[in-house]
Amino acid sequence: QVQLVESGGGLVQAGGSLRLSCAASGSTFSSGWFRQAPGKAREFVAAISWPNGNTYYADSVKGRFTLSRDYAKNAAYLQMNNLKPEDTAVYYCADGNPVLSAIVRRASYNHWGQGTQVTVSS
């Protein structure tokens, strides 16, 4: 079975950067990142498809976040630059094998990490 562990969250001032890591065990496919702020629904952030490696980003993070994978290490990385207070949330990595049209949907992912807190202060 696939197991995922996120790391790299923390407290950062607006305009700063963080790099989140998702370490996986077992066979993995497409990697998605979602986030959930208190009182809000879990929302799509970014995804990278398998096997072609195409990336997809929510409009709110496009140009600031970059998602990559290291297949040799079975890991995914979310580089977050120019962070804003509205980026504050628990960030989750997820694994699944969705069709391309469904890559941004939570239901497309079968395995989830426990999340890592990102807090961006003003």
Side-chain angles (χ1 to χ4, degrees), residues 35-43 85-92 116-120:
R35 65 188 182 187
Q36 187 166 21
K40 297 183 179 180
R42 191 171 299 186
E43 66 177 3
E86 52 263 42
D87 295 319
T88 295
V90 176
Y91 283 70
Y92 300 87
T116 185
Q117 177 71 48
V118 172
T119 303
V120 184

Side-chain angles (χ1 to χ4, degrees), residues 38-113:
K40 297 183 179 180
R42 191 171 299 186
E43 66 177 3
F44 171 77
V45 176
I48 185 165
S49 65
W50 179 92
N52 54 21
N54 294 139
T55 53
Y56 305 85
Y57 300 94
D59 288 342
S60 59
V61 306
K62 193 173 295 182
R64 300 188 296 120
F65 291 10
T66 303
L67 178 59
S68 61
R69 287 193 66 164
D70 186 334
Y71 288 97
K73 296 181 178 179
N74 206 16
Y77 306 95
L78 184 66
Q79 179 67 45
M80 307 186 297
N81 297 326
N82 193 23
L83 284 161
K84 303 176 180 180
E86 52 263 42
D87 295 319
T88 295
V90 176
Y91 283 70
Y92 300 87
C93 66
D95 179 81
N97 191 23
V99 297
L100 191 60
S101 61
I103 201 166
V104 305
R105 299 177 183 175
R106 290 176 292 169
S108 296
Y109 298 89
N110 301 316
H111 305 280
W112 294 81

